[in-house]
Amino acid sequence: MAFRAIHAEWGTVFAHLPDLGCGRSWEAVWKTRPPAPLTCDECLHSMYAKTSHSGLRFFAHAPGAPTCALGLESVAHHLLKLELATAAREAGAHAELEVPGPDRTWRADVLATDPTGNWRTALEAQLAPITSADITARTEKMHTDGVTSIWFSDRPRPPWLGTVPSVRLERPEGTKNLTVAEGLVKFSARGWRPVPAGLPQFLTWAFAGRIVTHTPRTPLWYPQRSLATVWTAPQYIAAEDTHLLEEERRQHEYETRRAALRAAQEKKRDEIRAKNAISRAKALEEATAAEQAARTAQTGRLREVAIRFRPGIDPTLAKLADEHGVTATVGWSTGDPRYAGGVPLVDENGVPVAVFDPDPGRVRGHAFRLLAGLLLIFPSQPSQRRFEKATKRAKRRPIDGYQTGFVGAPPSGPARPRPHISSSVLICTCTTPQLVARIQNAEYPAEPSDQMGPAAALFRPQCRACGGKYEKPWRRIGSAPINRTSSPEN
């Protein structure tokens, strides 16, 4: 099926035109005897005029014709071409169907031409599947030959729509004329919205340059998908530019305000941190003094209980040594309320460096100021999370939060029986004690000391002179064991 043929005498004739485009009637080529001398300008095979049952006039190839592109086109494709040609004429253009390019590498379904000869536009009816790469290549080929193109489809979701200058057409229910359903938009408020228009109106705007192709930079408020290329009027492109400039200005003002607010907040936080540093230094100084006083008084009963019965002390001391490079021991001031029920861990100089397992319900007053600046270590991750969750609900909390960590879950299973501490245990009171410390499976020489050494947090020495336990500060005086014992004792 074709609407264009070559007459041996009259030249190109068009089946859809009342005068065939050459001042002749349809009867001059239809059912004539002998048959009218018509040939296909694509394959040069003989053609004849034909009318369908609905009255549609067209040219058909005579029997024995080779494979021809025009002969393979569907009825729907031919009908859309006719409507495009009719709409182009209504828009004031001269329209011809099935016009080949100069080197015959392309053929326009409808070639719309300005009556004054200023422009030529191919109107392409694309109903068959085609890739975006192929349709782009065909568009560029036409453009190279000085012909712009607009692609049309009346299918629901052509995948190539928007890849090249194109629109999707539809025929609203109850109407006979095609309208633009997708691809024609206007800028409104903050985005693009569809514009309803009939096909002749769309072509009138396109031929006159009142609408042009555009790549949107703001959202398309579209019931369908967004398109890479749309048709719109130049004033709407300018409106989008103005909107983007205004958005950029507002964003700059917002970022400027945010930066100023962040700077003010950071300045305030720095002032708070400076005050906190003074407060925490004072709290640490007071805690250090309390530790020294406890050492002097040697009131270490709660310290002994913490060492023996608080699971997690040993791995906590190891964590401080391995991860923080701090050799620590359990403080003599254990039980002081400033540690909120936790165990103070002090360095070799008696300065608190961490607190083990504090109670979040007791973190207030002096305890808050001290613990806000110390490392808090918990026997398990769940206990660490419970502390953090509880302190988040507290009225007061450090501006940068608490420094917390954990050493692993405590041993599971039933609680081990606590050993009985007899009140008749012999305590060394010798003026010159001869000390030996049992550490794991060996005995090491020891001596009295002004300060507690690291081993003193975990082990107790015994005096060889009186056989009693030595409760005052002590330290090892050698790394080589005196002898080995059969079982560890601490």
PDB file of all heavy atoms in Angstrom, residues 325-354:
ATOM      1  N   GLY A 325      47.353   2.077  76.606  1.00  0.00           N
ATOM      2  CA  GLY A 325      48.716   2.199  77.124  1.00  0.00           C
ATOM      3  C   GLY A 325      48.784   2.660  78.564  1.00  0.00           C
ATOM      4  O   GLY A 325      49.755   3.303  78.958  1.00  0.00           O
ATOM      5  N   VAL A 326      47.762   2.342  79.341  1.00  0.00           N
ATOM      6  CA  VAL A 326      47.699   2.782  80.733  1.00  0.00           C
ATOM      7  C   VAL A 326      47.768   1.558  81.645  1.00  0.00           C
ATOM      8  O   VAL A 326      46.966   0.637  81.525  1.00  0.00           O
ATOM      9  CB  VAL A 326      46.402   3.564  81.020  1.00  0.00           C
ATOM     10  CG1 VAL A 326      46.317   3.931  82.503  1.00  0.00           C
ATOM     11  CG2 VAL A 326      46.349   4.829  80.167  1.00  0.00           C
ATOM     12  N   THR A 327      48.753   1.557  82.537  1.00  0.00           N
ATOM     13  CA  THR A 327      48.836   0.513  83.559  1.00  0.00           C
ATOM     14  C   THR A 327      48.010   0.968  84.758  1.00  0.00           C
ATOM     15  O   THR A 327      48.341   1.951  85.412  1.00  0.00           O
ATOM     16  CB  THR A 327      50.286   0.260  83.977  1.00  0.00           C
ATOM     17  OG1 THR A 327      51.049  -0.116  82.824  1.00  0.00           O
ATOM     18  CG2 THR A 327      50.363  -0.835  85.027  1.00  0.00           C
ATOM     19  N   ALA A 328      46.915   0.274  84.985  1.00  0.00           N
ATOM     20  CA  ALA A 328      45.974   0.714  86.015  1.00  0.00           C
ATOM     21  C   ALA A 328      45.722  -0.395  87.020  1.00  0.00           C
ATOM     22  O   ALA A 328      46.045  -1.560  86.800  1.00  0.00           O
ATOM     23  CB  ALA A 328      44.662   1.145  85.365  1.00  0.00           C
ATOM     24  N   THR A 329      45.140  -0.005  88.131  1.00  0.00           N
ATOM     25  CA  THR A 329      44.737  -0.939  89.177  1.00  0.00           C
ATOM     26  C   THR A 329      43.446  -0.432  89.797  1.00  0.00           C
ATOM     27  O   THR A 329      43.002   0.689  89.516  1.00  0.00           O
ATOM     28  CB  THR A 329      45.834  -1.052  90.247  1.00  0.00           C
ATOM     29  OG1 THR A 329      45.465  -2.050  91.194  1.00  0.00           O
ATOM     30  CG2 THR A 329      46.007   0.271  90.974  1.00  0.00           C
ATOM     31  N   VAL A 330      42.838  -1.257  90.607  1.00  0.00           N
ATOM     32  CA  VAL A 330      41.605  -0.863  91.279  1.00  0.00           C
ATOM     33  C   VAL A 330      41.924   0.152  92.373  1.00  0.00           C
ATOM     34  O   VAL A 330      42.837  -0.047  93.186  1.00  0.00           O
ATOM     35  CB  VAL A 330      40.893  -2.090  91.866  1.00  0.00           C
ATOM     36  CG1 VAL A 330      39.660  -1.666  92.672  1.00  0.00           C
ATOM     37  CG2 VAL A 330      40.491  -3.040  90.753  1.00  0.00           C
ATOM     38  N   GLY A 331      41.177   1.244  92.407  1.00  0.00           N
ATOM     39  CA  GLY A 331      41.450   2.303  93.373  1.00  0.00           C
ATOM     40  C   GLY A 331      41.023   1.948  94.782  1.00  0.00           C
ATOM     41  O   GLY A 331      40.053   1.211  95.003  1.00  0.00           O
ATOM     42  N   TRP A 332      41.761   2.509  95.743  1.00  0.00           N
ATOM     43  CA  TRP A 332      41.421   2.299  97.151  1.00  0.00           C
ATOM     44  C   TRP A 332      40.152   3.055  97.528  1.00  0.00           C
ATOM     45  O   TRP A 332      39.520   2.754  98.547  1.00  0.00           O
ATOM     46  CB  TRP A 332      42.585   2.777  98.036  1.00  0.00           C
ATOM     47  CG  TRP A 332      43.738   1.830  98.007  1.00  0.00           C
ATOM     48  CD1 TRP A 332      44.675   1.717  97.045  1.00  0.00           C
ATOM     49  CD2 TRP A 332      44.049   0.862  99.006  1.00  0.00           C
ATOM     50  NE1 TRP A 332      45.566   0.731  97.348  1.00  0.00           N
ATOM     51  CE2 TRP A 332      45.211   0.177  98.571  1.00  0.00           C
ATOM     52  CE3 TRP A 332      43.475   0.489 100.226  1.00  0.00           C
ATOM     53  CZ2 TRP A 332      45.808  -0.834  99.292  1.00  0.00           C
ATOM     54  CZ3 TRP A 332      44.072  -0.527 100.961  1.00  0.00           C
ATOM     55  CH2 TRP A 332      45.224  -1.185 100.497  1.00  0.00           C
ATOM     56  N   SER A 333      39.776   4.028  96.729  1.00  0.00           N
ATOM     57  CA  SER A 333      38.581   4.819  97.040  1.00  0.00           C
ATOM     58  C   SER A 333      37.303   4.174  96.507  1.00  0.00           C
ATOM     59  O   SER A 333      36.275   4.843  96.357  1.00  0.00           O
ATOM     60  CB  SER A 333      38.718   6.236  96.467  1.00  0.00           C
ATOM     61  OG  SER A 333      38.999   6.190  95.078  1.00  0.00           O
ATOM     62  N   THR A 334      37.365   2.887  96.197  1.00  0.00           N
ATOM     63  CA  THR A 334      36.164   2.168  95.755  1.00  0.00           C
ATOM     64  C   THR A 334      35.059   2.333  96.791  1.00  0.00           C
ATOM     65  O   THR A 334      35.282   2.183  97.993  1.00  0.00           O
ATOM     66  CB  THR A 334      36.481   0.682  95.558  1.00  0.00           C
ATOM     67  OG1 THR A 334      37.499   0.557  94.571  1.00  0.00           O
ATOM     68  CG2 THR A 334      35.244  -0.085  95.115  1.00  0.00           C
ATOM     69  N   GLY A 335      33.853   2.636  96.321  1.00  0.00           N
ATOM     70  CA  GLY A 335      32.729   2.880  97.202  1.00  0.00           C
ATOM     71  C   GLY A 335      32.424   4.344  97.367  1.00  0.00           C
ATOM     72  O   GLY A 335      31.354   4.700  97.888  1.00  0.00           O
ATOM     73  N   ASP A 336      33.332   5.220  96.928  1.00  0.00           N
ATOM     74  CA  ASP A 336      33.077   6.651  96.989  1.00  0.00           C
ATOM     75  C   ASP A 336      31.887   6.973  96.066  1.00  0.00           C
ATOM     76  O   ASP A 336      31.846   6.524  94.919  1.00  0.00           O
ATOM     77  CB  ASP A 336      34.324   7.417  96.531  1.00  0.00           C
ATOM     78  CG  ASP A 336      34.228   8.904  96.822  1.00  0.00           C
ATOM     79  OD1 ASP A 336      33.250   9.527  96.350  1.00  0.00           O
ATOM     80  OD2 ASP A 336      35.127   9.431  97.508  1.00  0.00           O
ATOM     81  N   PRO A 337      30.901   7.755  96.497  1.00  0.00           N
ATOM     82  CA  PRO A 337      29.714   8.032  95.669  1.00  0.00           C
ATOM     83  C   PRO A 337      30.022   8.786  94.380  1.00  0.00           C
ATOM     84  O   PRO A 337      29.208   8.785  93.466  1.00  0.00           O
ATOM     85  CB  PRO A 337      28.825   8.869  96.599  1.00  0.00           C
ATOM     86  CG  PRO A 337      29.734   9.410  97.648  1.00  0.00           C
ATOM     87  CD  PRO A 337      30.795   8.368  97.846  1.00  0.00           C
ATOM     88  N   ARG A 338      31.186   9.392  94.296  1.00  0.00           N
ATOM     89  CA  ARG A 338      31.513  10.120  93.064  1.00  0.00           C
ATOM     90  C   ARG A 338      31.692   9.167  91.866  1.00  0.00           C
ATOM     91  O   ARG A 338      31.709   9.615  90.732  1.00  0.00           O
ATOM     92  CB  ARG A 338      32.770  10.973  93.276  1.00  0.00           C
ATOM     93  CG  ARG A 338      34.044  10.220  93.321  1.00  0.00           C
ATOM     94  CD  ARG A 338      35.229  11.128  93.631  1.00  0.00           C
ATOM     95  NE  ARG A 338      35.257  11.550  95.025  1.00  0.00           N
ATOM     96  CZ  ARG A 338      35.240  12.819  95.392  1.00  0.00           C
ATOM     97  NH1 ARG A 338      35.189  13.770  94.488  1.00  0.00           N
ATOM     98  NH2 ARG A 338      35.280  13.133  96.678  1.00  0.00           N
ATOM     99  N   TYR A 339      31.806   7.848  92.108  1.00  0.00           N
ATOM    100  CA  TYR A 339      31.953   6.880  91.019  1.00  0.00           C
ATOM    101  C   TYR A 339      30.625   6.229  90.657  1.00  0.00           C
ATOM    102  O   TYR A 339      30.586   5.314  89.848  1.00  0.00           O
ATOM    103  CB  TYR A 339      32.975   5.809  91.394  1.00  0.00           C
ATOM    104  CG  TYR A 339      34.343   6.384  91.673  1.00  0.00           C
ATOM    105  CD1 TYR A 339      34.884   6.310  92.960  1.00  0.00           C
ATOM    106  CD2 TYR A 339      35.075   7.019  90.686  1.00  0.00           C
ATOM    107  CE1 TYR A 339      36.132   6.852  93.233  1.00  0.00           C
ATOM    108  CE2 TYR A 339      36.317   7.571  90.948  1.00  0.00           C
ATOM    109  CZ  TYR A 339      36.840   7.480  92.230  1.00  0.00           C
ATOM    110  OH  TYR A 339      38.068   8.030  92.500  1.00  0.00           O
ATOM    111  N   ALA A 340      29.524   6.683  91.250  1.00  0.00           N
ATOM    112  CA  ALA A 340      28.167   6.231  90.914  1.00  0.00           C
ATOM    113  C   ALA A 340      28.027   4.717  90.973  1.00  0.00           C
ATOM    114  O   ALA A 340      27.424   4.095  90.097  1.00  0.00           O
ATOM    115  CB  ALA A 340      27.776   6.744  89.525  1.00  0.00           C
ATOM    116  N   GLY A 341      28.580   4.118  91.995  1.00  0.00           N
ATOM    117  CA  GLY A 341      28.467   2.678  92.158  1.00  0.00           C
ATOM    118  C   GLY A 341      29.437   1.887  91.314  1.00  0.00           C
ATOM    119  O   GLY A 341      29.440   0.654  91.360  1.00  0.00           O
ATOM    120  N   GLY A 342      30.291   2.547  90.549  1.00  0.00           N
ATOM    121  CA  GLY A 342      31.280   1.865  89.734  1.00  0.00           C
ATOM    122  C   GLY A 342      32.585   1.690  90.496  1.00  0.00           C
ATOM    123  O   GLY A 342      32.750   2.147  91.631  1.00  0.00           O
ATOM    124  N   VAL A 343      33.534   1.039  89.850  1.00  0.00           N
ATOM    125  CA  VAL A 343      34.840   0.769  90.459  1.00  0.00           C
ATOM    126  C   VAL A 343      35.855   1.715  89.840  1.00  0.00           C
ATOM    127  O   VAL A 343      36.056   1.700  88.619  1.00  0.00           O
ATOM    128  CB  VAL A 343      35.261  -0.693  90.224  1.00  0.00           C
ATOM    129  CG1 VAL A 343      36.637  -0.954  90.831  1.00  0.00           C
ATOM    130  CG2 VAL A 343      34.224  -1.633  90.817  1.00  0.00           C
ATOM    131  N   PRO A 344      36.540   2.541  90.646  1.00  0.00           N
ATOM    132  CA  PRO A 344      37.554   3.436  90.073  1.00  0.00           C
ATOM    133  C   PRO A 344      38.798   2.656  89.668  1.00  0.00           C
ATOM    134  O   PRO A 344      39.260   1.785  90.398  1.00  0.00           O
ATOM    135  CB  PRO A 344      37.844   4.399  91.220  1.00  0.00           C
ATOM    136  CG  PRO A 344      37.543   3.620  92.456  1.00  0.00           C
ATOM    137  CD  PRO A 344      36.399   2.726  92.103  1.00  0.00           C
ATOM    138  N   LEU A 345      39.317   2.953  88.503  1.00  0.00           N
ATOM    139  CA  LEU A 345      40.564   2.361  88.014  1.00  0.00           C
ATOM    140  C   LEU A 345      41.568   3.501  87.908  1.00  0.00           C
ATOM    141  O   LEU A 345      41.344   4.482  87.178  1.00  0.00           O
ATOM    142  CB  LEU A 345      40.336   1.683  86.660  1.00  0.00           C
ATOM    143  CG  LEU A 345      39.204   0.645  86.631  1.00  0.00           C
ATOM    144  CD1 LEU A 345      39.028   0.087  85.233  1.00  0.00           C
ATOM    145  CD2 LEU A 345      39.477  -0.482  87.625  1.00  0.00           C
ATOM    146  N   VAL A 346      42.680   3.379  88.652  1.00  0.00           N
ATOM    147  CA  VAL A 346      43.637   4.480  88.754  1.00  0.00           C
ATOM    148  C   VAL A 346      44.975   4.063  88.173  1.00  0.00           C
ATOM    149  O   VAL A 346      45.304   2.863  88.109  1.00  0.00           O
ATOM    150  CB  VAL A 346      43.799   4.917  90.225  1.00  0.00           C
ATOM    151  CG1 VAL A 346      42.456   5.371  90.780  1.00  0.00           C
ATOM    152  CG2 VAL A 346      44.365   3.787  91.070  1.00  0.00           C
ATOM    153  N   ASP A 347      45.761   5.068  87.750  1.00  0.00           N
ATOM    154  CA  ASP A 347      47.076   4.764  87.202  1.00  0.00           C
ATOM    155  C   ASP A 347      48.088   4.652  88.340  1.00  0.00           C
ATOM    156  O   ASP A 347      47.736   4.639  89.526  1.00  0.00           O
ATOM    157  CB  ASP A 347      47.491   5.828  86.185  1.00  0.00           C
ATOM    158  CG  ASP A 347      47.642   7.214  86.802  1.00  0.00           C
ATOM    159  OD1 ASP A 347      47.655   7.324  88.043  1.00  0.00           O
ATOM    160  OD2 ASP A 347      47.756   8.192  86.032  1.00  0.00           O
ATOM    161  N   GLU A 348      49.370   4.556  87.992  1.00  0.00           N
ATOM    162  CA  GLU A 348      50.427   4.339  88.982  1.00  0.00           C
ATOM    163  C   GLU A 348      50.554   5.501  89.956  1.00  0.00           C
ATOM    164  O   GLU A 348      51.089   5.349  91.061  1.00  0.00           O
ATOM    165  CB  GLU A 348      51.752   4.091  88.264  1.00  0.00           C
ATOM    166  CG  GLU A 348      51.746   2.821  87.426  1.00  0.00           C
ATOM    167  CD  GLU A 348      53.037   2.651  86.651  1.00  0.00           C
ATOM    168  OE1 GLU A 348      53.816   3.619  86.586  1.00  0.00           O
ATOM    169  OE2 GLU A 348      53.263   1.563  86.100  1.00  0.00           O
ATOM    170  N   ASN A 349      50.044   6.683  89.547  1.00  0.00           N
ATOM    171  CA  ASN A 349      50.114   7.851  90.425  1.00  0.00           C
ATOM    172  C   ASN A 349      48.837   8.052  91.234  1.00  0.00           C
ATOM    173  O   ASN A 349      48.691   9.061  91.916  1.00  0.00           O
ATOM    174  CB  ASN A 349      50.388   9.102  89.589  1.00  0.00           C
ATOM    175  CG  ASN A 349      51.720   9.020  88.870  1.00  0.00           C
ATOM    176  OD1 ASN A 349      52.725   8.575  89.462  1.00  0.00           O
ATOM    177  ND2 ASN A 349      51.736   9.425  87.611  1.00  0.00           N
ATOM    178  N   GLY A 350      47.919   7.107  91.109  1.00  0.00           N
ATOM    179  CA  GLY A 350      46.671   7.215  91.847  1.00  0.00           C
ATOM    180  C   GLY A 350      45.657   8.149  91.228  1.00  0.00           C
ATOM    181  O   GLY A 350      44.686   8.544  91.894  1.00  0.00           O
ATOM    182  N   VAL A 351      45.825   8.496  89.956  1.00  0.00           N
ATOM    183  CA  VAL A 351      44.885   9.379  89.270  1.00  0.00           C
ATOM    184  C   VAL A 351      43.837   8.518  88.567  1.00  0.00           C
ATOM    185  O   VAL A 351      44.189   7.631  87.776  1.00  0.00           O
ATOM    186  CB  VAL A 351      45.605  10.267  88.242  1.00  0.00           C
ATOM    187  CG1 VAL A 351      44.597  11.153  87.505  1.00  0.00           C
ATOM    188  CG2 VAL A 351      46.667  11.107  88.926  1.00  0.00           C
ATOM    189  N   PRO A 352      42.562   8.720  88.786  1.00  0.00           N
ATOM    190  CA  PRO A 352      41.532   7.931  88.105  1.00  0.00           C
ATOM    191  C   PRO A 352      41.613   8.106  86.588  1.00  0.00           C
ATOM    192  O   PRO A 352      41.682   9.234  86.080  1.00  0.00           O
ATOM    193  CB  PRO A 352      40.216   8.498  88.658  1.00  0.00           C
ATOM    194  CG  PRO A 352      40.593   9.081  89.988  1.00  0.00           C
ATOM    195  CD  PRO A 352      41.967   9.626  89.808  1.00  0.00           C
ATOM    196  N   VAL A 353      41.616   6.977  85.896  1.00  0.00           N
ATOM    197  CA  VAL A 353      41.672   7.009  84.433  1.00  0.00           C
ATOM    198  C   VAL A 353      40.421   6.402  83.816  1.00  0.00           C
ATOM    199  O   VAL A 353      40.135   6.612  82.629  1.00  0.00           O
ATOM    200  CB  VAL A 353      42.915   6.266  83.907  1.00  0.00           C
ATOM    201  CG1 VAL A 353      44.177   7.001  84.298  1.00  0.00           C
ATOM    202  CG2 VAL A 353      42.947   4.827  84.415  1.00  0.00           C
ATOM    203  N   ALA A 354      39.655   5.632  84.573  1.00  0.00           N
ATOM    204  CA  ALA A 354      38.440   5.004  84.060  1.00  0.00           C
ATOM    205  C   ALA A 354      37.585   4.576  85.243  1.00  0.00           C
ATOM    206  O   ALA A 354      38.049   4.521  86.382  1.00  0.00           O
ATOM    207  CB  ALA A 354      38.760   3.812  83.167  1.00  0.00           C
TER     208      ALA A 354
END
